[in-house]
Amino acid sequence: YLDFETVSTCLPLYDGLGPYTQIPTQYSLHACREATGSLEHREYLADGTADCRREFAELLLSDLETQGNILVYSSFEQSVLTRLQDWFDDIADPLERVKERLVDLQAIIKKYVWHPQFRGSTSIKRTLPVLVPEMGYFDLQIANGEHASAAFYNLACGLIQPSEVASTREALLLYCERDTLAMVKLHEALVNVAIRHRS
């Protein structure tokens, strides 16, 4: 279960980048070990002081290992991986193998699940409270991607008070982690729905 966060600015944060270049800055990864059923969490958040794209890609490849499906929510992660391939030819092949493992959970919901409380949207913020009512984002300081992007920008530009840097980084990590944990719980809910319908 994989989720990325990015930042895109009119004035580039780092040398050599054009306006509005979408830079991946953060990921969360929940891995379910089939043999034990245990859930492991790995994460990355750039410090913002320098261009983090290469570090992001290399650590991601290491954390994802080489086997197993990777659940994402929408095609966003695939598009980010494609841009990483464009930037770094020498790791384009392993990044391509990651793309081949992606499974879009939102596409599955769009095709097979309908609920009036979705109100015509299958965004994770809309489907989660319907399918997993005990879980949400209401308790988080940063609770959506736009706020996460703005918070990282402020960190990278030194616009956050030194006393608030640690708490802002923690809020960013908690938000991204919630996205992947939400996918875990949505996947479980969909499996339970399928079992009920089958019986």
Side-chain angles (χ1 to χ4, degrees):
Y1 306 87
L2 179 65
D3 179 70
F4 294 162
E5 299 301 330
T6 62
V7 65
S8 174
T9 57
C10 176
L11 296 176
L13 283 176
Y14 311 114
D15 292 342
L17 297 176
Y20 299 111
T21 299
Q22 197 165 39
I23 305 167
T25 58
Q26 180 178 1
Y27 65 77
S28 172
L29 170 66
H30 272 93
C32 183
R33 299 299 179 188
E34 190 172 356
T36 63
S38 62
L39 197 63
E40 300 174 7
H41 182 245
R42 300 175 186 175
E43 60 190 357
Y44 167 81
L45 174 59
D47 66 13
T49 59
D51 186 351
C52 60
R53 293 173 297 162
R54 180 78 191 201
E55 181 179 67
F56 177 100
E58 290 178 346
L59 290 174
L60 178 68
L61 288 171
S62 175
D63 279 344
L64 286 174
E65 302 174 355
T66 59
Q67 301 293 323
N69 291 330
I70 302 167
L71 270 70
V72 293
Y73 206 90
S74 84
S75 60
F76 178 68
E77 280 70 24
Q78 180 163 343
S79 67
V80 172
L81 290 166
T82 298
R83 284 194 293 274
L84 287 169
Q85 288 177 292
D86 292 339
W87 289 323
F88 306 115
D89 290 343
D90 60 315
I91 54 173
D93 287 344
L95 288 169
E96 184 64 29
R97 288 191 287 274
V98 169
K99 288 165 59 177
E100 291 168 358
R101 296 162 59 196
L102 297 181
V103 177
D104 184 354
L105 193 58
Q106 184 181 30
I108 293 171
I109 291 176
K110 278 183 177 179
K111 186 171 182 178
Y112 295 107
V113 182
W114 180 88
H115 195 287
Q117 291 181 24
F118 288 174
R119 300 177 193 172
S121 169
T122 55
S123 74
I124 198 166
K125 302 298 191 302
R126 189 64 59 81
T127 60
L128 183 67
V130 176
L131 298 175
V132 190
E134 69 276 11
M135 189 176 185
Y137 293 79
F138 51 85
D139 59 323
L140 298 180
Q141 179 184 339
I142 294 174
N144 62 58
E146 289 183 6
H147 291 166
S149 181
F152 183 85
Y153 173 82
N154 288 334
L155 280 173
C157 293
L159 301 177
I160 304 251
Q161 292 294 326
S163 61
E164 297 178 357
V165 167
S167 62
T168 301
R169 288 183 62 83
E170 180 66 16
L172 283 166
L173 290 168
L174 286 172
Y175 169 65
C176 200
E177 180 182 6
R178 184 66 55 88
D179 270 345
T180 51
L181 187 57
M183 282 188 269
V184 173
K185 297 303 182 182
L186 279 171
H187 187 194
E188 291 174 354
L190 291 176
V191 169
N192 289 334
V193 167
I195 290 171
R196 287 200 302 271
H197 279 274
R198 195 175 300 157
S199 59

